[in-house]
Amino acid sequence: MICLGLGSNLGDRRGNIAGAVARLAAWPGITVEKVSSLYETAPVGYTDQPDFLNAAVCVTTTLTPQELLAACLAVERALGRERKVRWGPRTVDIDVLFYEDVVLATDELTLPHPRFHERCFVLAPLAELTGDMPVYGGKTAGELAAACDDGTVRLYGRLFEGD
Ligand code: X6L
Ligand code: MG
Ligand code: MG
């Protein structure tokens, strides 16, 4: 399984995440297989910024991990992502959480994502998609989410109406 985490806390948050998912789905070599609900989440890390909407998607792809990351960064840029303040507000952020069982640590990309297993805003949406599959240390995303306490997470709604 290959899963991505998405977040937005600037502008039309739902529209930004919907636009990112649509662009990923349209990307040659990427198929979006599952899309989670949206969660409204308190900012973690740098807390003096607006609340986020977070979601997760699972994809299948012919792209390598590096090519998938490049696609994510290109979609971020297409949606107006500017990198000013580290950990600051963003129109959209797309992180590769894990790519099958690939373990990788380069300057550009670390897999699995180094801290996803302790972030409630990642685990809550991810748990909808990964079910019984262990995602980290033999634990499911649901188990990790239940043990997680790094910030408030509340179910916000579906990304697309009628979905
Ligand atoms: C100490 C120091 C504890 C730093 C935590 C946590 C830093 C998360 C960065 C940290 C620390 C991050 C999102 C967010 C960010 C998001 C919500 C990050 C990068 N992205 N908060 N904060 N959702 N709720 O997508 O994840 S900044
Ligand atoms: Mg992130
Ligand atoms: Mg990122």
Side-chain angles (χ1 to χ4, degrees):
M1 200 175 252
I2 301 170
C3 295
L4 311 178
L6 295 97
S8 172
N9 74 339
L10 275 186
D12 175 3
R13 299 176 301 169
R14 185 199 293 265
N16 292 337
I17 291 180
V21 172
R23 281 171 160 82
L24 288 167
W27 197 275
I30 299 178
T31 303
V32 175
E33 300 285 356
K34 298 187 205 174
V35 182
S36 77
S37 303
L38 293 168
Y39 289 78
E40 189 164 50
T41 68
V44 176
Y46 174 67
T47 56
D48 185 19
Q49 59 178 323
D51 285 353
F52 282 77
L53 290 185
N54 283 107
V57 301
C58 292
V59 305
T60 48
T61 188
T62 59
L63 306 183
T64 65
Q66 291 81 0
E67 290 167 341
L68 180 60
L69 174 67
C72 292
L73 297 178
V75 170
E76 288 182 356
R77 290 175 53 84
L79 284 154
R81 172 89 185 258
E82 292 182 72
R83 291 179 182 268
K84 293 185 210 159
V85 185
R86 189 178 185 212
W87 302 341
R90 64 283 304 269
T91 51
V92 74
D93 175 47
I94 310 172
D95 295 329
V96 183
L97 302 177
F98 48 82
Y99 185 113
E100 306 296 356
D101 293 324
V102 172
V103 175
L104 189 68
T106 65
D107 289 346
E108 297 75 37
L109 180 61
T110 300
L111 291 174
H113 187 287
R115 287 166 302 277
F116 85 93
H117 61 279
E118 57 196 30
R119 296 204 176 141
C120 307
F121 68 78
V122 175
L123 294 167
L126 184 65
E128 294 182 8
L129 309 182
T130 52
D132 290 341
M133 188 187 81
V135 297
Y136 187 89
K139 293 190 161 64
T140 67
E143 289 167 342
L144 292 164
C148 177
D149 70 345
D150 79 338
T152 309
V153 166
R154 76 172 183 86
L155 188 59
Y156 184 82
R158 294 299 301 173
L159 183 53
F160 301 110
E161 277 186 58
D163 178 25

